[in-house]
Amino acid sequence: MHKRRPRYRGKNPRRFEDKYKELNPDSHPDVIAKVRASGKTPAGQHVPIMVTEVIECLQPQPGDRVVDCTLGYGGHSRALWQTVQPSGHLMSLDADPIELARTEARLRAFGMNEESFTARRCNFAGLTKALAEQGWHDGVDVIFADLGLSSMQIDNPSRGFTFKQDGPLDMRMNPERGVSAAQWLTSISEAKLVTALEENSDEPHAAPIAARLKTSVPQSTRQLAEAVKSALPPRTSAEEADDAVRRVFQAVRIAVNEEFNALDSLLRSIPAALKPGGRVAFLTFHSGEDRRVKKAFQEGLRSGIYREVSDEVIRASMDEQRANPRSSPAKLRWALK
């Protein structure tokens, strides 16, 4: 018996699972256009940030070898691939097995064939191994990494990255490896949790939040959000409470995925991976990431590894920030070997 599709609940369904028109962009382009025109990102999609600025910094040329360390939805990869054709090759890495398959299929349909584009399921900490497996022993011309979390991951409550809707407290980029956020919170000591909250997100209320989370370990995203809010001082505004929740989610996610360790490994491997004259650029979204990239680039400049590095961070234009609010915290830095 034919089962009817659930009715689309109003103009702006709140639940991710109800947004089937947004999750089927080819069938509902008008809905996608309206969502983007309102300054929002359609469910299940991701709007790439500062694409023009990234290309200007990296200056990829036809025939170049390029690595996109963070494939995500594929927006930057697609732009980079186009600039190095007809004879160049792009290799894109992503640790997320769920989104990698979807993005690769979408880019293949766009015309990015196996002769000019390779997608690898790999954390960017494994850049050196990925280059060796690709046969690029003499290095590459361009390396790019967008360290932001993809909108597809943020919006999907089943991944555990958002507190807007309740879902399992997971937060793993690769759900097939490691421990979930709930398991991590159960196993870590209160003292180490305080340190993680301070170092990963500069959380000013780290101690009382850690104490509350260890008193009753949350098992869902909504429980985590409520526990954080209940640990804040009296008279904390709703906006300040939401900011604290975002910082805690960020800190836990970084710890669960060992993001800083992976980033440090990537920064160490880049000089050997780049050809002389090669360029590298990073998009960062919080101070912990930006400090590491800035320090690595400056140390590389002083030691003679890099010929030139960006003096100041590059930010999204006001027009882009209005059209895509998720671009507001982004910082772009580059270096030339």
Side-chain angles (χ1 to χ4, degrees):
M1 183 178 178
H2 176 68
K3 184 177 181 180
R4 292 187 62 184
R5 178 184 298 179
R7 184 177 179 181
Y8 193 67
R9 300 180 183 177
K11 293 183 178 180
N12 300 294
R14 300 184 67 127
R15 296 177 66 248
F16 180 85
E17 296 83 355
D18 293 336
K19 299 184 178 184
Y20 66 81
K21 288 185 179 180
E22 292 182 39
L23 295 170
N24 289 274
D26 294 337
S27 301
H28 303 280
D30 56 329
V31 173
I32 301 303
K34 288 181 180 179
V35 172
R36 288 186 171 172
S38 69
K40 298 179 180 179
T41 301
Q45 297 191 26
H46 180 82
V47 178
I49 293 170
M50 284 194 274
V51 175
T52 299
E53 292 86 345
V54 166
I55 297 300
E56 288 176 351
C57 290
L58 292 173
Q59 301 178 18
Q61 303 296 318
D64 278 355
R65 291 176 180 172
V66 178
V67 177
D68 183 348
C69 296
T70 47
L71 175 58
Y73 196 72
H76 290 111
S77 280
R78 178 170 167 173
L80 289 165
W81 177 84
Q82 289 176 308
T83 62
V84 300
Q85 297 314 302
S87 52
H89 195 107
L90 168 71
M91 178 170 65
S92 296
L93 315 178
D94 205 302
D96 188 333
I98 298 172
E99 297 301 334
L100 174 62
R102 295 172 180 169
T103 299
E104 181 177 5
R106 190 166 50 251
L107 296 182
R108 296 291 184 210
F110 175 71
M112 296 170 62
N113 56 38
E114 294 183 358
E115 288 70 36
S116 61
F117 170 59
T118 301
R120 288 186 178 274
R121 182 177 165 185
C122 171
N123 185 296
F124 52 61
L127 173 63
T128 301
K129 181 180 179 182
L131 293 179
E133 292 175 347
Q134 188 72 9
W136 290 353
H137 303 288
D138 54 343
V140 298
D141 303 285
V142 170
I143 296 175
F144 173 66
D146 174 355
L147 302 182
L149 196 65
S150 293
S151 298
M152 309 89 66
Q153 297 164 328
I154 296 173
D155 294 338
N156 189 344
S158 69
R159 301 299 302 272
F161 294 110
T162 180
F163 62 93
K164 293 180 180 179
Q165 300 173 36
D166 203 16
L169 193 55
D170 196 312
M171 297 195 194
R172 287 174 292 178
M173 298 292 188
N174 182 353
E176 299 173 3
R177 296 188 60 185
V179 298
S180 69
Q183 292 170 318
W184 181 81
L185 285 169
T186 299
S187 62
I188 193 170
S189 69
E190 184 175 326
K192 289 184 177 179
L193 180 54
V194 171
T195 300
L197 295 177
E198 292 175 339
E199 293 185 352
N200 294 358
S201 64
D202 302 316
E203 174 51 52
H205 305 295
I209 290 174
R212 182 60 55 87
L213 295 180
K214 292 305 295 182
T215 299
S216 179
V217 179
Q219 298 299 310
S220 74
T221 56
R222 190 67 57 79
Q223 288 176 7
L224 175 56
E226 292 303 321
V228 171
K229 291 178 180 179
S230 68
L232 298 175
R235 298 183 182 179
T236 299
S237 70
E239 183 178 357
E240 290 173 331
D242 281 347
D243 287 342
V245 173
R246 290 187 183 93
R247 289 192 295 268
V248 170
F249 268 66
Q250 172 186 299
V252 174
R253 188 202 78 223
I254 288 172
V256 166
N257 293 286
E258 299 182 332
E259 293 179 27
F260 286 162
N261 289 340
L263 176 56
D264 291 341
S265 178
L266 174 61
L267 289 166
R268 287 193 299 269
S269 64
I270 283 175
L274 277 178
K275 294 179 180 179
R279 289 176 175 268
V280 55
F282 278 83
L283 268 176
T284 65
F285 290 81
H286 57 80
S287 58
E289 295 172 341
D290 186 58
R291 281 195 298 264
R292 282 169 162 77
V293 174
K294 179 181 179 180
K295 181 180 178 181
F297 283 180
Q298 289 179 338
E299 288 181 349
L301 183 65
R302 286 193 294 268
S303 65
I305 293 173
Y306 295 123
R307 218 188 313 169
E308 187 179 357
V309 302
S310 51
D311 294 327
E312 302 290 340
V313 294
I314 301 168
R315 291 185 175 274
S317 67
M318 292 308 300
D319 286 343
E320 180 171 1
Q321 291 185 41
R322 281 190 290 268
N324 179 17
R326 290 177 180 175
S327 68
S328 298
K331 296 179 180 180
L332 176 62
R333 293 186 185 273
W334 58 267
L336 169 64
K337 185 175 178 182

